[in-house]
Amino acid sequence: MFFRQNINAEWIEIGPAESLFWGREIILSKRNGKWAVLWGEKSEKYLNEITSYMYDAVINVGEVYFWVKKDGKWSAIDRNNKTIFKSPTILEKYQKLPSLNFEDYIQAQRDGKTCKISVQEASYVYVTKLLQKREMRKDIVIELSYKGFSRASDYS
């Protein structure tokens, strides 16, 4: 069992869980060897599940979307647990980021650098605004190519 004090200084029991990874708006929780994504304390849905406990690994990207691994396959989902399109090269980039300790992670955020902190099979990735924009542009171009457009100018 894990306990956390809320904003009213009340202790809340969270569990049973093997591991918790606490973010500002999102909690990654592990139970019976599987990970789930829960709403954090800044949400009206505090401690409610976004996903059930079914993933082998989770990467939280800026508390906006998640890479989730199930049965050896990665996919991306949003905060509504809906599958979204993200380029596999973005996943590879995040997987290659070194995992920092807490102090270095906080300093990298202050310095405006993309960085990662991990616990077991779960990671939080801080993404700069510029990188978020690049990701969106790359996803749009890839999605258009899947739809049969060879150039972005074909879409204008």
Side-chain angles (χ1 to χ4, degrees), residues 25-27 37-41 43 45-50 79-80:
E25 297 179 31
I26 302 295
I27 302 166
V37 181
L38 311 176
W39 287 106
E41 63 187 304
S43 169
K45 302 174 186 176
Y46 185 41
L47 297 178
N48 288 335
E49 292 180 359
I50 294 174
R79 291 166 59 132
N80 295 313

Side-chain angles (χ1 to χ4, degrees), residues 60 62 94 97-100 104-110 112-117 123-128 131:
N60 178 346
Y94 293 151
L97 281 173
S99 183
L100 304 176
D104 291 342
Y105 179 78
I106 296 300
Q107 187 59 50
Q109 285 182 333
R110 288 185 188 130
K113 297 178 182 175
T114 297
C115 54
K116 176 174 81 175
I117 189 169
S123 299
Y124 271 79
V125 175
Y126 171 78
V127 182
T128 64
L131 186 59

Side-chain angles (χ1 to χ4, degrees), residues 39-78:
W39 287 106
E41 63 187 304
K42 291 193 175 194
S43 169
E44 296 172 2
K45 302 174 186 176
Y46 185 41
L47 297 178
N48 288 335
E49 292 180 359
I50 294 174
T51 71
S52 60
Y53 288 85
M54 61 185 205
Y55 296 111
D56 302 317
V58 179
I59 300 174
N60 178 346
V61 182
E63 298 197 317
V64 175
Y65 74 93
F66 315 95
W67 283 101
V68 291
K69 184 179 181 183
K70 184 177 179 185
D71 300 326
K73 296 179 183 176
W74 286 95
S75 60
I77 59 171
D78 64 14

